[in-house]
Amino acid sequence: MSKSIIDVAKAAGVSKSTVSRVLNNGSVKPETRDKVFRAIKELDYYPNAMARGLKGKSNHIIGVIIPKVAGKTSSVFESKQALSTLNGIEEIISKQDYSLLLIFDLLLTKGNEFKNNDHDYLKYFRENKIDGLIILAKRNEDNNLQNAINEYKPIVYIGERFKDYGGYNIYVHYKKFNKQVYNYLYDEGHTNIVSITDRSTIWEVGVRKYDAYKEFCKEKNIIYEEENIIDVNKLANNIYDVIEDKLESGCTAFYLEDSYITIKIMNILYEMNKKVPDDVSVISIEHGGNDISAIYPFITTVNIPNYEMGKESAKLLMDILQNRPVNDKEILLKPHMIERKSVKIIEK
Amino acid sequence: MSKSIIDVAKAAGVSKSTVSRVLNNGSVKPETRDKVFRAIKELDYYPNAMARGLKGKSNHIIGVIIPKVAGKTSSVFESKQALSTLNGIEEIISKQDYSLLLIFDLLLTKGNEFKNNDHDYLKYFRENKIDGLIILAKRNEDNNLQNAINEYKPIVYIGERFKDYGGYNIYVHYKKFNKQVYNYLYDEGHTNIVSITDRSTIWEVGVRKYDAYKEFCKEKNIIYEEENIIDVNKLANNIYDVIEDKLESGCTAFYLEDSYITIKIMNILYEMNKKVPDDVSVISIEHGGNDISAIYPFITTVNIPNYEMGKESAKLLMDILQNRPVNDKEILLKPHMIERKSVKIIEK
DNA sequence: TTGAAAGCGGTACCAT
DNA sequence: ATGGTACCGCTTTCAA
């Protein structure tokens, strides 16, 4: 049988109000406080978080909404983006004695776009299960979020800039950095660039590649070819053929989405006996620290600060929950490139 | 302002008892039920999980204790073991509309062993935050667990066989399978085998290698050399030298702990211009599906069913929580080896 | 089938 | 500084 505050009160010879005060750092005479603490120890008493929550007290749980892409074989816990972000969140959260409630939200594919499941994540607020929420997902089309920020407890959205949102937002400018990558390759002499991307990723990185490429082509006066961005989800088992095709038609550089794709492509290039960067250049995105460079130490990569995004969002949330002043409701983080030896300089 | 059961009762023109009955599938006249549901919809009412929990009702949250190894740079969300297991858990849990509360437990290093932090994970039960618990950790020395199984809600322990525990246990026989690996290499003609392992992993796989190797040596009449098991945590930056050393002293096969170590060693062997398996044989452990074979398609691996362990443990927990009959309190799962082309047959 | 009321384990206000 | 008590939102028993 579990002990209640009344048991403690009896054991300590005080009223339950006093015990409550001790528990909540109210003003209590030191001796009384000691008595109560002794009783708590003796009885091995722990306050019931549920009962506390009833009065609107924090339960020290924050929710993280993690998108699950329906139909994708690889699951949430295999996405480097999500994992790095969770890492960052955990780093902050666990120091503050908060715990993480993972809320999985199914993303349904709808043509080329995603649609959030009707699963209503806001119910976790309504049910009072969480004190705050971090959302890692495509949510630009999510109207609920708009209302939620007024109605409920704090919500931090991680991903792209959420226009007209007005809530807390940690973001990276995906289109911009994608363009920077294209420009970098261009400056090294590459014009026939093929991206292999993954639109079914949880964030918008892949999606923004299209706009970036379009702008890039326009600015550099290159003919825009839609097939120069390949969505792995659309490829069945013919990646090999597609790569071969692209190489034959003059592609000099591959821009790869993540470690999974990079590994796949590197294996294929190896089978083809193509050398990087002598035969073809390669540039990749690292979503989780050095997940690519650990395997291929010579590949030039762009590092997306997912870990930092997680960290910043958790910090922000903690600040809000603990009534510390918040400077910026929106924080922009920037990817950075690490040049290694996988991009060949092509003389023009 | 959030709505309460009383608001619904008023709107529906019934008493709050009736609303409660509707919510909990008590017997209510169909028309009344309809009225109440309509009111619930209209008001956008959600029962407060806290208030429910107060009466001992399930809150549909299960906890997962995840060990964090203190001082290790790589974090929880980078351990393939933990991730695969979480994947399995998530797979089951989310179908049943439960969510996961992650509880991070710091593991302190104490000489060669680990010691659990004084962080008391049982408080999550005492505080009524969770309905059940899955523990992924080294806990063989944990006495609290012993009491906990009687005192609290269901706990499933994943890892090794937990002797004299009496609780729910999903396990793999680590020593046995380690020995099978050694025997396999022996049958292919290898006797000078070096393991590169990681004792600071969250589970006992690495630790059991020592016993396995000892037994193996005894049975096969090989001189047991402690330095033939190398703990990466003890190596500073001289892995390269150590590998070179071992190769020079006649080592014909490396038995590698996980994908991180495998990647590291493969890179070093590449630098040394040593070919696998011509110059040296390699066998690795996959903790997360094909995390190694995706990168090195020719490496022979042993697959530890972490995903399945997660799945089984979650199933078990769900069965218990939902009062379904439970057949086995202990479930043994078995790793399996996939032979590829990284082990050379040595003629004697 | 339904309603009234007690109680779950706390918090917080009002007295003393 | 401490105690008494109303109340948080819900479940459950008892009576009607």
Side-chain angles (χ1 to χ4, degrees), chain A residues 7 10 60 114 121 130 145 201 233 235 265 283:
Chain A
D7 299 312
K10 275 187 196 148
H60 274 223
F114 285 108
Y121 58 91
I130 53 177
L145 197 50
T201 193
N233 303 293
L235 292 169
I265 302 300
I283 192 164

Side-chain angles (χ1 to χ4, degrees), chain B residues 127-192:
Chain B
E127 292 179 345
N128 255 306
K129 279 185 176 170
I130 54 177
D131 292 338
L133 188 63
I134 295 178
I135 299 182
L136 348 171
K138 299 181 174 236
R139 288 282 169 192
N140 277 324
E141 82 297 350
D142 184 344
N143 296 319
N144 287 328
L145 198 50
Q146 211 61 249
N147 320 330
I149 57 168
N150 303 316
E151 206 169 334
Y152 302 103
K153 296 168 187 169
I155 299 177
V156 178
Y157 173 74
I158 310 187
E160 274 207 306
R161 174 85 199 290
F162 201 148
K163 293 181 207 74
D164 313 320
Y165 161 49
Y168 303 101
N169 195 187
I170 311 284
Y171 66 101
V172 161
H173 200 315
Y174 292 126
K175 191 179 83 183
K176 201 165 170 184
F177 104 74
N178 271 310
K179 221 169 107 188
Q180 282 166 349
V181 173
Y182 278 114
N183 281 330
Y184 169 80
L185 289 171
Y186 181 86
D187 291 342
E188 305 290 298
H190 299 269
T191 51
N192 193 333

